[in-house]
């Protein structure tokens, strides 16, 4: 069970109201798997250069929501949606919006590290190559920059030609983050990116997320409320497919406005 009192470790992170650009605007989104409704009337504005955490009990729709943001849910034939998701003011459900175009802007990191069965170098070079970059020197530069950006360069620079499967789980996850950075996305979606990692690797990925938010907007699903409290600027609490509360992380954990949020963060359910 999660601890009863979740305090922000770094009190200097107190939310300061600065006018930020909206990256994603979710407007009355509903989603059904067949007859079962998994998301209900979701309205959420996600801000630029924020880390936005999505929390809530198992089955409340967290993964479904972030997989809707890059249209991954479309791979499931029984899925039906209504409402709008505007990414940089464009409705991602518009027929004219190509999914490939969206995914060059929006990268994703999954729960389990999923490197390709290729070398460390090729894992990172893959995205730029399929986007048509052929210049070897430029690809070398992108690979190094991405691995540095994912805080793994020093650990792998002498073994770039080795298979990625030889890396530890934590290193594989940072490699997957590097693979995501190589396509120079605007937004990074993370679906429980540390749940398969040990505490030290988790800390490294959390520190990395803090650095990455200087340049990217990050949306992270996490089961771990302490993690949400440590690393996020804003938190949305989902329950049974609805957003119960969405506010700055300090307020959500110290002074929630909804009784259900309070019950959840104090470990009374979930
Ligand atoms: N492919 C699918 N087909 C049918 N129903 C699904 C599918 N994926 C998810 N669901 C249902 O949608 C609801 C929300 O699931 P989702 O995985 O989004 O929740 P979650 O909050 O991410 O859960 P967890 O924390 O356990 O990963 C659940 O009732 C789930 O059973």
């Amino acid at each position: 069970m999660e601890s009863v009192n979740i305090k922000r470790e770094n009190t200097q992170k107190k939310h300061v109201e600065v006018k930020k650009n909206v990256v994603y605007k979710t407007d009355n989104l509903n989603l059904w798997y067949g007859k079962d409704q998994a998301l209900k009337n979701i309205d959420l504005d996600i801000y630029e250069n924020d880390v936005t955490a999505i929390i809530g009990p198992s089955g409340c729709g967290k993964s479904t929501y972030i997989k809707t943001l890059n249209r991954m849910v479309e791979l499931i034939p029984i899925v039906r949606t209504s409402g709008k998701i505007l990414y940089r003011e464009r409705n991602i459900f518009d027929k004219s919006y190509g999914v490939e175009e969206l995914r060059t802007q929006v990268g994703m990191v999954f729960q389990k590290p999923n490197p390709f069965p290729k070398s460390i170098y090729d894992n990172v070079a893959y995205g730029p190559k399929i986007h048509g970059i052929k210049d070897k020197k430029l690809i070398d530069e992108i690979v190094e920059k991405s691995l540095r950006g994912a805080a793994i360069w020093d650990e792998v620079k002498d073994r770039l030609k080795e298979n990625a499967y030889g890396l530890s789980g934590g290193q594989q996850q940072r490699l997957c983050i590097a693979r995501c950075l190589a396509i120079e996305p605007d937004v990074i979606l993370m679906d429980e990116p540390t749940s398969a990692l040990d505490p030290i690797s988790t800390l490294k990925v959390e520190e990395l997320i803090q650095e990455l938010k200087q340049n990217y907007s990050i949306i992270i699903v996490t089961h771990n409320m302490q993690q949400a409290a440590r690393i996020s600027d804003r938190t949305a609490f989902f329950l049974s497919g609805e957003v119960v509360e969405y506010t700055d992380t300090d307020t959500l954990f110290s002074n929630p406005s909804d009784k259900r949020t309070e019950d959840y963060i104090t470990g009374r359910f979930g």
Side-chain angles (χ1 to χ4, degrees):
M1 187 189 285
E2 303 284 353
S3 78
V4 173
N5 284 315
I6 297 176
K7 293 220 170 76
R8 302 297 296 273
E9 281 166 5
N10 180 355
T11 50
Q12 292 187 334
K13 276 204 289 191
K14 259 194 166 324
H15 189 75
V16 184
E17 276 308 327
V18 192
K19 201 149 173 35
K20 288 190 164 184
N21 291 327
V22 173
V23 183
Y24 267 112
K25 185 172 192 62
T26 304
D27 186 6
N28 199 18
L29 175 72
N30 292 280
L31 182 144
W32 293 263
Y33 290 107
K35 287 192 188 122
D36 298 324
Q37 189 165 5
L39 297 176
K40 298 170 192 160
N41 307 317
I42 308 279
D43 289 319
L44 271 186
D45 285 355
I46 308 270
Y47 296 95
E48 199 168 55
N49 298 111
D50 264 1
V51 175
T52 304
I54 312 287
I55 63 165
S58 187
C60 68
K62 305 180 294 297
S63 294
T64 300
Y65 177 64
I66 72 160
K67 285 182 192 150
T68 310
L69 297 176
N70 69 350
R71 289 178 40 189
M72 248 183 83
V73 283
E74 283 177 13
L75 298 170
I76 305 165
I78 57 172
V79 162
R80 187 165 57 84
T81 56
S82 72
K84 280 189 205 161
I85 297 182
L86 304 181
Y87 165 67
R88 301 274 182 200
E89 301 183 349
R90 229 176 121 193
N91 189 359
I92 65 167
F93 299 133
D94 274 354
K95 290 215 164 55
S96 63
Y97 207 140
V99 79
E100 292 309 323
E101 187 187 348
L102 179 66
R103 299 219 185 120
T104 57
Q105 301 297 321
V106 182
M108 185 147 185
V109 176
F110 296 87
Q111 183 169 4
K112 283 208 190 112
N114 59 347
F116 304 131
K118 292 172 180 283
S119 70
I120 294 166
Y121 180 97
D122 286 341
N123 262 274
V124 186
Y126 181 83
K129 280 184 184 166
I130 60 166
H131 286 109
I133 300 178
K134 295 201 175 79
D135 181 342
K136 167 92 172 69
K137 195 162 161 284
L138 181 56
I139 295 174
D140 286 352
E141 281 169 18
I142 295 171
V143 168
E144 178 172 343
K145 188 172 162 215
S146 307
L147 289 167
R148 282 188 189 280
I152 192 180
W153 172 251
D154 288 339
E155 289 157 75
V156 300
K157 64 176 189 282
D158 299 323
R159 49 194 288 206
L160 294 174
K161 295 290 166 202
E162 287 176 27
N163 196 292
Y165 286 178
L167 297 172
S168 72
Q171 288 172 327
Q172 287 187 12
Q173 194 60 308
R174 280 178 288 138
L175 176 66
C176 292
I177 294 173
R179 187 175 65 187
C180 176
L181 299 184
I183 57 160
E184 301 194 325
D186 176 28
V187 179
I188 304 177
L189 308 176
M190 296 184 165
D191 194 355
E192 299 192 46
T194 62
S195 65
L197 305 184
D198 63 84
I200 291 172
S201 302
T202 296
L203 188 66
K204 282 193 179 157
V205 171
E206 287 187 4
E207 285 170 357
L208 175 58
I209 291 170
Q210 290 296 292
E211 280 167 33
L212 291 175
K213 76 170 209 170
Q214 314 300 325
N215 299 312
Y216 306 90
S217 308
I218 297 171
I219 305 165
I220 178 170
V221 166
T222 178
H223 260 117
N224 181 330
M225 285 187 277
Q226 283 86 355
Q227 179 169 73
R230 275 194 299 270
I231 66 171
S232 72
D233 300 286
R234 295 177 72 83
T235 299
F237 170 53
F238 277 54
L239 186 64
S240 308
E242 289 178 65
V243 178
V244 169
E245 192 160 347
Y246 176 49
T247 184
D248 69 274
T249 298
D250 284 318
T251 305
L252 190 126
F253 285 110
S254 61
N255 190 20
S257 62
D258 194 291
K259 173 85 171 54
R260 293 166 295 175
T261 315
E262 189 181 340
D263 286 350
Y264 183 67
I265 65 169
T266 54
R268 282 190 206 120
F269 70 92

